[in-house]
Amino acid sequence: MASIAELGERGALERFLPHLTQSENVLVGPGDDAAVLRSGGELVVTTDTMFEGADFRHDWSTFADLGTKAVTTNLTDIAAMGATPTGLVIALGVPGRIDVRNLEEFAKAADRTLQKLAPGAGVVGGDLSTSERTVISVTAFGDMRGRSPVLRSGARADDRIVVAGELGMSGAGLALLSAGEHPVDELRRRHPQRIEAHVAPLAPVHLGSALADAGATSMLDVSDGLVLDAGRIARASGVELRFDRAALEAFDADLEHVLYGGEDHALLATLPQEATLPDGVLVIGEVRESEAGVTLDGEPVQERGWDPFRR
Amino acid sequence: MASIAELGERGALERFLPHLTQSENVLVGPGDDAAVLRSGGELVVTTDTMFEGADFRHDWSTFADLGTKAVTTNLTDIAAMGATPTGLVIALGVPGRIDVRNLEEFAKAADRTLQKLAPGAGVVGGDLSTSERTVISVTAFGDMRGRSPVLRSGARADDRIVVAGELGMSGAGLALLSAGEHPVDELRRRHPQRIEAHVAPLAPVHLGSALADAGATSMLDVSDGLVLDAGRIARASGVELRFDRAALEAFDADLEHVLYGGEDHALLATLPQEATLPDGVLVIGEVRESEAGVTLDGEPVQERGWDPFRR
C-alpha cells in the first residue's frame, strides 16, 4: 500500500484523475488554474459538503459509497431546477495516512455515478488537501437549455403532487445501521437496497428536466425529509400539500421513514392535472388552496426533520 | 451572544445572507435547490478549500480574515485564465458552539472583498454545516467574454515575464507569525502589511483580463511559491523562465520569501516584447529557449514549495 502522504498531492492526483471520464463540455480540463466549460446562457449552480461525523461514518460508508453519494446529492439539486447537469468540481480533504486506493475507489464510483445519472457530464476540476477528518465538497453545474427554472414557489391549487425516486429507503437503511445490532457487512448482505439507499444513493436525475418539460409548477429534491421539504413548497407557494396516505404507505418502508427519513434524493414536484406525466413518476397527492401546510388525507402532520446544527 | 447551534442552520443563515450583495448576474439567488446565473458561452470554474490546521489557525486569522482570503484565492484563479469573475458559492463547516457574529464577520469581509476585486460578481449560493474544525470551500465562476483562456503552456522565447501584485509579503507575514516571538495583536500593529498579506490577502484581480487583452501567452496565480509556479509554466511551455535577480530583490521582502513564500496570489504572466503592459504590472524577467527551467540571471534555482501532504 501507498499512503497519500507518501505520494504527495501530485502523486495522489495521478492516481485519481485517470479514473474520470472527460466531460463533453470541457474546453480546458484539470491542471490549470481553472477549468473552462462550454455553457449555455443560464448556468445552474449548487454546492453540498459532506463531513465525516456529521454526514457520514467511515465504518458505515466506503470511499466508493462516498463517491456515489457526493455525486448523486448534487446532481439531484441541479435536476430539481429542471436543468441538465453539465459538470462538477470535487474538493476533497482526506487524512494523509490513508491508502491511495481509497481515492481511486472514490474517483471510480463518482465517475460511474456521473456516467449513469448524467451521461456527458464530467468532473471538470477539483482540489485535494489533507484533513484529519474526511471532508467532501462538491459543486455541480447545469444548463437550463432554454427551460425556465422550476422554483419552490409555483405550486397551484389542484396540481397533482408527484415523486420520482424512492421514499423512506434511506431512512430505513440509516435506522438499521444506527441500531447497531448486526455488523455492517451482514446488514449489507441482508438489506442491500436499504443500506445502499442510505450510503450510496442513486436517483432518477434525468426526470428533472422531463418533469420541467411536462410543465412542473414547483420541484425540489427530498433531502431533509418529505414533510419538511414539502413544507418548503407549501410555504413558498402559499398552498396546502395534501398527501394521499395510501400512496405513501405503498412505499417499501415504514411511514415514519417515508415522512421524515430524509436523504432520499427523490424529486418531489407539482404539475397541473392535465400534464402528461413522464414514465417513472408516481402521483402521491394533490395541492389544495388552504393554509394547512402539509397534510395526510387532510390531517396536519408535524413538520420535523434534519438540521445539521440540531441533532 | 448566540451560538450557531442555538440558532440552527436556518437562523444562522438569516444572520449571514443579508450581508451579501446580490450578483448582477443572478437570475435565481440562494434559497432554492440551486442558483441560476446569467452566463456567457464559456464558463470558467475553480475550487479551493481551506482547512483549519493545514491552511489556517484561528489564533492567527479572524473569521473576517478568512472571508477575505477565501474570496481572493479563488478570484485570482479565475483572473489567471484571463476571465472576468461572475460569482461564487461558499460551503462552510463551522463548530456549532461559536458565536454567530463570526459568521456575520465572515460574510461582510467576503462581500467587501468581492465588491472591491470583482464589482458586479456576488455570492450566489452556499452550504452551512457543522464541523469540529472549520472548513471553507469556495467555488468561483468566471466568463471568458470572448477571450481565449490563457494557459500555462503558451510562453514563448523572448517573451517578457511580468507580475501583478506583491511577492514575498505573505511569506514574510507567515514567518513573523510562525516565529511566535510576539503576540499576534502586536505583530498586526507593527507589521500590518505583512500580516494582512498572509491572513487576508488582496490581489489585482482586474489585471487578469487586462493581461489577457494585452496578449499574455501564459499566466497563473502565484500560490505555491514563485519558483514552483514558474516551473509549471516552464515545463508546460518547454522554455526557461529567467528571472532578473535585481527586479526580485526590489520587492519589499527577503529574496527567500519572494522565491519560495507562496500564497502571494499575484498574477505571473508572460507577454511578447511588443505588448503594451497594463498599468500595475512589473517586468521581472524574460523567457529563454532552454531546458534550464527556472533561473535567476541564468543560474538554476532549486524548485521547492508547498505540498499540503508533505510538510
Side-chain angles (χ1 to χ4, degrees):
Chain A
M1 88 148 232
S3 76
I4 296 173
E6 282 164 335
L7 292 169
E9 182 181 8
R10 200 157 143 189
L13 281 176
E14 280 168 9
R15 299 280 288 267
F16 186 86
L17 292 172
H19 299 290
L20 303 176
T21 307
Q22 183 94 321
S23 162
E24 62 186 32
N25 306 301
V26 159
L27 302 170
V28 177
D32 217 294
D33 294 270
V36 184
L37 194 62
R38 195 175 298 115
S39 160
E42 294 183 343
L43 169 70
V44 184
V45 182
T46 186
T47 188
D48 190 62
T49 307
M50 299 182 350
F51 291 89
E52 181 186 345
D55 300 306
F56 64 86
R57 294 168 49 160
H58 280 306
D59 53 344
W60 292 355
S61 299
T62 65
F63 269 89
D65 292 336
L66 295 171
T68 296
K69 188 163 186 168
V71 169
T72 298
T73 56
N74 278 276
L75 290 183
T76 53
D77 278 327
I78 296 292
M81 301 301 284
T84 304
T86 50
L88 47 81
V89 297
I90 303 178
L92 278 180
V94 291
R97 66 178 175 279
I98 68 165
D99 191 326
V100 72
R101 276 178 293 190
N102 289 300
L103 277 191
E104 294 180 307
E105 292 306 316
F106 180 95
K108 280 192 244 179
D111 192 68
R112 200 163 49 228
T113 306
L114 205 45
Q115 295 315 310
K116 190 166 182 174
L117 303 188
V123 179
V124 299
D127 183 28
L128 180 61
S129 308
T130 183
S131 169
E132 194 46 44
R133 309 192 85 182
T134 302
V135 180
I136 303 161
S137 191
V138 174
T139 301
F141 315 109
D143 190 331
M144 290 309 307
R145 303 232 169 127
R147 297 179 202 101
S148 293
V150 183
L151 308 182
R152 297 170 175 196
S153 51
R156 294 292 168 262
D158 297 329
D159 280 356
R160 287 189 284 184
I161 308 172
V162 304
V163 70
E166 285 296 335
L167 289 178
M169 292 289 275
S170 174
L174 176 59
L176 286 167
L177 289 163
S178 302
E181 288 168 11
H182 303 281
V184 175
D185 284 353
E186 190 187 326
L187 288 175
R188 279 189 179 254
R189 273 197 310 278
R190 287 171 53 176
H191 308 281
Q193 285 180 301
R194 288 165 184 232
I195 303 300
E196 283 225 337
H198 183 68
V199 298
L202 296 173
V205 166
H206 66 285
L207 289 176
S209 53
L211 283 163
D213 288 339
T217 53
S218 73
M219 183 156 47
L220 48 62
D221 90 305
V222 180
S223 52
D224 295 338
L226 181 66
V227 174
L228 196 67
D229 285 320
R232 291 174 173 141
I233 291 180
R235 259 191 308 280
S237 302
V239 294
E240 171 192 345
L241 262 64
R242 181 176 296 199
F243 289 113
D244 175 1
R245 175 186 279 267
L248 296 185
E249 285 177 346
F251 280 92
D252 190 20
D254 293 347
L255 189 60
E256 169 73 17
H257 293 139
V258 170
L259 294 176
Y260 300 112
E263 296 196 88
D264 291 310
H265 301 291
L267 298 171
L268 179 70
T270 57
L271 299 99
Q273 291 285 344
E274 65 274 16
T276 305
L277 301 181
D279 285 349
V281 310
L282 197 68
V283 177
I284 57 171
E286 200 174 80
V287 179
R288 297 290 179 99
E289 190 166 346
S290 100
E291 292 174 357
V294 179
T295 67
L296 218 54
D297 290 344
E299 295 299 312
V301 288
Q302 195 196 353
E303 264 195 49
R304 58 186 158 84
W306 173 259
D307 185 318
F309 290 107
R310 290 171 162 170
R311 268 161 307 148
Chain B
M1 90 147 229
S3 76
I4 296 173
E6 282 165 335
L7 292 169
E9 181 181 10
R10 198 157 146 189
L13 282 175
E14 279 168 10
R15 299 281 288 267
F16 186 87
L17 292 171
H19 299 290
L20 304 176
T21 307
Q22 182 93 322
S23 161
E24 62 186 32
N25 306 303
V26 160
L27 302 170
V28 177
D32 217 294
D33 294 87
V36 184
L37 194 62
R38 195 175 297 114
S39 159
E42 293 183 346
L43 169 71
V44 184
V45 182
T46 186
T47 188
D48 191 62
T49 306
M50 301 185 346
F51 291 89
E52 181 185 346
D55 300 305
F56 63 86
R57 294 168 48 159
H58 280 306
D59 53 342
W60 292 355
S61 298
T62 65
F63 270 88
D65 292 335
L66 295 171
T68 296
K69 188 162 187 168
V71 168
T72 298
T73 56
N74 278 278
L75 291 183
T76 52
D77 279 326
I78 297 292
M81 301 301 284
T84 304
T86 50
L88 49 81
V89 297
I90 303 178
L92 277 179
V94 291
R97 65 179 176 278
I98 67 165
D99 191 326
V100 71
R101 277 178 293 189
N102 289 301
L103 277 191
E104 294 179 307
E105 293 305 316
F106 180 95
K108 280 192 244 179
D111 192 69
R112 200 162 49 229
T113 307
L114 204 46
Q115 295 315 309
K116 191 167 183 172
L117 303 188
V123 179
V124 300
D127 183 29
L128 180 61
S129 307
T130 183
S131 169
E132 194 47 44
R133 310 192 85 181
T134 301
V135 180
I136 303 161
S137 190
V138 173
T139 301
F141 316 109
D143 190 332
M144 289 310 306
R145 302 229 170 131
R147 298 179 200 101
S148 293
V150 183
L151 307 184
R152 298 169 175 197
S153 52
R156 295 291 167 261
D158 298 330
D159 281 355
R160 288 189 286 184
I161 308 172
V162 305
V163 70
E166 286 296 336
L167 289 177
M169 292 289 275
S170 174
L174 176 59
L176 286 166
L177 289 163
S178 301
E181 289 167 9
H182 302 281
V184 176
D185 285 353
E186 189 187 328
L187 289 174
R188 280 190 180 252
R189 272 196 311 277
R190 287 171 54 177
H191 308 280
Q193 284 180 302
R194 288 165 184 233
I195 303 299
E196 282 224 338
H198 183 69
V199 298
L202 296 173
V205 167
H206 66 286
L207 289 176
S209 53
L211 282 162
D213 289 338
T217 53
S218 74
M219 182 157 48
L220 48 64
D221 91 307
V222 180
S223 52
D224 295 337
L226 181 66
V227 175
L228 196 67
D229 285 320
R232 291 175 174 142
I233 291 180
R235 258 191 310 280
S237 302
V239 295
E240 170 192 347
L241 262 65
R242 181 176 294 200
F243 288 113
D244 175 1
R245 176 186 277 268
L248 296 185
E249 285 177 345
F251 280 92
D252 190 19
D254 293 347
L255 189 61
E256 168 74 15
H257 293 140
V258 171
L259 294 177
Y260 299 112
E263 295 196 89
D264 291 311
H265 301 291
L267 297 171
L268 179 70
T270 57
L271 298 99
Q273 292 285 345
E274 65 275 16
T276 305
L277 301 181
D279 284 350
V281 311
L282 197 69
V283 177
I284 57 171
E286 202 174 81
V287 179
R288 296 291 179 98
E289 191 166 345
S290 102
E291 293 174 359
V294 179
T295 68
L296 217 52
D297 291 345
E299 295 297 314
V301 288
Q302 194 197 352
E303 264 196 47
R304 56 184 158 86
W306 174 258
D307 186 318
F309 290 106
R310 292 172 161 169
R311 267 163 306 150

